[in-house]
Amino acid sequence: AAGVIQSPRHLIKEKRETATLKCYPIPRHDTVYWYQQGPGQDPQFLISFYEKMQSDKGSIPDRFSAQQFSDYHSELNMSSLELGDSALYFCASSLVDLAGGPRYEQYFGPGTRLTVT
Amino acid sequence: KQEVTQIPAALSVPEGENLVLNCSFTDSAIYNLQWFRQDPGKGLTSLLLIQSSQREQTSGRLNASLDKSSGRSTLYIAASQPGDSATYLCAVRPSTTSGTYKYIFGTGTRLKVLA
């Protein structure tokens, strides 16, 4: 079965550079979520999209932006990178049942490990 | 604000033991709760998903229970094996009228099963 695809898997950038992370959800999933997991920490929600519209925003820095495209893939753009941005970035996708709430499981991708030097 | 905590933070047991991992959440208004496994530096592997209307879910040697009213879930691992060594995370999806369905993760339990 198809899973959530993230690219690249590893990324090394220098401070003040820009990075773009991509996420391809499971086919027919309509919702995409981005999470950030710092070293030794639990994943923290950044932002989500439902049907290409931003549906929720968490602790995402103003230097970051994201969008979901017509084919439902999503990109997380990170500018003016800082050392503290080094983390594992997860994308997840799910279906949302508007009548019954989010009954469906959230599937996580393998993550992109970003290292800022 | 929903907060999720897991006890213990770390656990080391000999192979073959049955063990229980605990997850507590402060707000009982949730849609569901999901247990994950994470190997060092790796992604999240979903283990079990419990809907708010359910009491437990089972998969192989794993059994997860949910007591929504008391804000607790437990993950029971039977006959533990060295291959079970990993960090176990629970995550809840709060009920909300705003249509947002993000997960709030617990702090994790780092499990080591000794051969």
Side-chain angles (χ1 to χ4, degrees):
Chain A
V4 177
I5 297 172
Q6 290 188 246
S7 68
R9 294 292 308 277
H10 302 272
L11 190 58
I12 299 175
K13 291 284 185 178
E14 295 186 357
K15 282 195 302 183
R16 292 181 288 278
E17 284 192 323
T18 297
T20 297
L21 279 54
K22 297 185 179 182
C23 169
Y24 297 86
I26 291 173
R28 291 186 296 281
H29 279 194
D30 51 20
T31 305
V32 168
Y33 312 79
W34 286 96
Y35 294 84
Q36 177 192 56
Q37 185 179 29
Q41 301 182 358
D42 50 286
Q44 295 291 318
F45 171 75
L46 292 178
I47 195 166
S48 64
F49 293 87
Y50 167 68
E51 283 291 343
K52 293 154 279 184
M53 299 288 290
Q54 180 182 308
S55 55
D56 197 6
K57 196 171 181 179
S59 50
I60 182 170
D62 292 339
R63 300 177 289 107
F64 294 5
S65 65
Q67 57 182 324
Q68 187 179 30
F69 295 86
S70 57
D71 63 351
Y72 291 93
H73 94 273
S74 178
E75 294 183 4
L76 177 65
N77 298 293
M78 310 159 70
S79 63
S80 302
L81 288 169
E82 302 173 357
L83 294 177
D85 296 329
S86 296
L88 196 52
Y89 290 84
F90 289 108
C91 170
S93 74
S94 72
L95 280 172
V96 173
D97 177 351
L98 290 180
R103 295 185 292 118
Y104 303 109
E105 194 167 345
Q106 201 168 115
Y107 293 85
F108 281 76
T112 293
R113 180 167 296 285
L114 172 66
T115 302
V116 181
T117 61
Chain B
K1 180 189 170 187
Q2 177 75 270
E3 291 183 1
V4 183
T5 55
Q6 291 183 244
I7 295 173
L11 184 62
S12 185
V13 299
E15 182 178 9
E17 272 203 10
N18 301 323
L19 50 97
V20 174
L21 307 182
N22 297 292
C23 172
S24 299
F25 46 96
T26 55
D27 189 340
S28 62
I30 64 170
Y31 274 124
N32 55 40
L33 182 146
Q34 196 164 348
W35 282 93
F36 295 89
R37 168 191 171 134
Q38 185 174 34
D39 293 287
K42 302 293 185 182
L44 300 173
T45 300
S46 178
L47 298 174
L48 290 164
L49 171 71
I50 309 178
Q51 303 293 348
S52 60
S53 58
Q54 298 175 324
R55 297 285 293 185
E56 65 179 330
Q57 284 287 329
T58 299
S59 175
R61 295 183 293 108
L62 304 179
N63 176 278
S65 67
L66 175 65
D67 184 345
K68 207 174 68 161
S69 60
S70 67
R72 293 180 188 172
S73 175
T74 60
L75 179 67
Y76 176 83
I77 303 176
S80 58
Q81 303 170 357
D84 294 330
S85 298
T87 295
Y88 291 79
L89 294 159
C90 69
V92 300
R93 300 184 85 169
S95 296
T96 172
T97 56
S98 61
T100 65
Y101 307 118
K102 65 190 176 191
Y103 270 146
I104 297 175
F105 281 84
T107 45
T109 293
R110 197 167 54 254
L111 172 66
K112 187 168 185 178
V113 181
L114 306 171

